[in-house]
Amino acid sequence: MKAVIASCFLLVFVLANGGVLSAVDWKHSAALDDKFLVLWSPNENDITFEIQVKTLGYVGFGFSKDDDKVRADMVIGWVDNNGQLHLQDRHVKDTSKDPEMDSSQDYTLLLGYENKTHTVLRFYRRYNTCDPRDFKITNDTMQVVWQYHKEEPASAAGVLPANGAVRGSRPLYLVQRDSQPRPSSRNQDAEQSLQTWDILNKQVRLPMDKDTLHSCRIAKMPNIHRKHHVVKYEPVIQPGSHDFLQHMTLYECRGNQTELESASKTSGSVRYQPSFQCTTIAAIWSLGSEGFNYPLEAGYPLDPHEGPRYYMLETHYTNPLLDVDITDSSGLRLHYTDRLRTHDAGILSVGIDPNWRHTIPPGQPEVVSEGHCISNCTGQTIPNNGINIFAVVMHTHQLGRKVRLRQIRSGEELPPIASDTNYDPNYQEYRKLQKPVRVYPGDHLIAECTYSSESRQAITLGGLTTRHETCLVSTLYYPRIELSLCYSLPSLPTVLQSLGIQKLVQSENRTVTIEEPKELAGMTLEERLMSYDWETNFQYFQEVTRVGTITPLCSTSKGPLPGTGNLEVHYPRILRPYEDATLPCSKKPLRNKLSLLTSEDTDIGTPVDPDSDETNAVERGQLVRSKVSRSSDGPAAGSSSTRSVSLPVVLALAAMLVGGAAFR
């Protein structure tokens, strides 16, 4: 929701009488550091931001493809000593240089002020500005960059003060991100009725001779006597442990109840018996996640009569520097209520089983691997009216660069359920889909992961440690079904063919060696994997893996899905592949006099007459704008004293609004 004023008269009245523009119901917020807060709300075609920074100098906010700020797209703003507000669309070509002015100014100012402690700017821009200097804001992971300084530029030309700027970057989901439910009397009452269940590790000690640890702990459900719904959960991270936590997964357990009860009284173990049958995921947390809020129509069921009574918390720790004397008691906090929602929610995991047959050749900029949830599995478990996927978590280890969840129905590939072409393995947060996606029985789902293995000199195999790789998309959906894991692997014949192996033989001492072709006879499978000429044979490997057969692995809470254990199936036949309909940009670049004089990017679009009405409107409305009234939802710190706005300036701003230059 933008601060939109219906008439110029109303704006003049509000500002002249010391009032404020209407507050925004912000959907998301993030503290980028202890002095920089960003709030934002995505809309249909654009996105509104407000940055609140504890400085009286200039502030900057923008986007980059990586975390070293090369090719960054930024907006720089400040309030000068005359009370004028400046907002400039800029870009960074090189980290050694200050952000340069864009010839096309694509950020529109809505509000700004400065008090005794903070500078606040509110602005919006379109997701796709059609300016090649601007990054498109998409559903992908966006690398957000920011900077601020205690001083402001000396003039409107915007030459930034030398040295002393505070800079930073972090990944964020801007469009598809879990958000807190809007306050209402209904959910406020519900919040008061919530109970909490903490499932925490008990002083897990990280080994001093290994850099990876999977720790498991059995926990018993709270003592409840009827069905409840978990409506949100969050991580509980012990201070100092954040750098060692990779992910935490909570599984339902349906094994021997006596053994589970006994195990729940211990502090945990590295591994539990397979008889515990802890396979169905109940909650998942990954590096970077802040937890999850279920939609108002669904909740995860805690049912003492029909559901599991025991759960297993599996925690993946990493300790690459082998720090000593590290112990941890982190875990998950579940919030639940007896006010049941309409649907029971579940988690369906689609991906590749963590197994050596998942092979990633070294030295490649892009390696594509796919995990299949075959139509046979969805056909047996999904009801005729389908299930609704409303959120996903994507998971790879360190080589992952792109992830998407594809959907094929009757030979037609539908738009991806979720996709991230700028995936960051260190930021695996829940993303809420803008609209739930319906999956019907017989649909074929594909978790597709693209890796960059240029940093590796040897092959990377599938597995659980961070040195191995994985490809997994966990979907949250309703109504709940029995299917919980829907994985696949390349079949053994496909793997052997991709390695140029025709026949294996097992000796009396159980050593597996190659028998055919003759030139490889006597070589072990491991030796073949290590000595294979991946650079020469990479394309052949990818093609064979794609057209060969796959082995599906479909599981429910009761075990493998009947009739799927010994299947070998081919890649689904896609008669109508999905094509992303990208509309061409038709926007005419808007330029202003100052940016034409200071910018080097003169290669964008058709030149615009600097004396035209359109150009002057942009200069008046976006580059140097008079002070707008103080926000009603700004930071509480500091005095309410702000730099004043004279009535002539207010009238000038109102005149600009008549021409449509300031507000939409």
Side-chain angles (χ1 to χ4, degrees), residues 13 27 34 57 76 93 124 127 132 298 329 481 561 620 627:
F13 177 82
K27 295 181 181 178
D34 59 353
I76 299 288
K93 291 181 179 178
Y124 75 86
Y127 293 128
S329 297
I481 60 175
L561 193 65
R620 292 193 307 270
K627 175 69 187 288

Side-chain angles (χ1 to χ4, degrees), residues 15 18 38 60 91 98 158 263 275 320 456 461 480 556 585 597 614 642:
L15 294 181
V38 57
H91 64 273
D98 282 337
S275 61
R456 300 281 173 94
L461 301 178
R480 181 183 170 107
T556 70
C585 280
L597 293 174
E614 183 179 58
T642 60

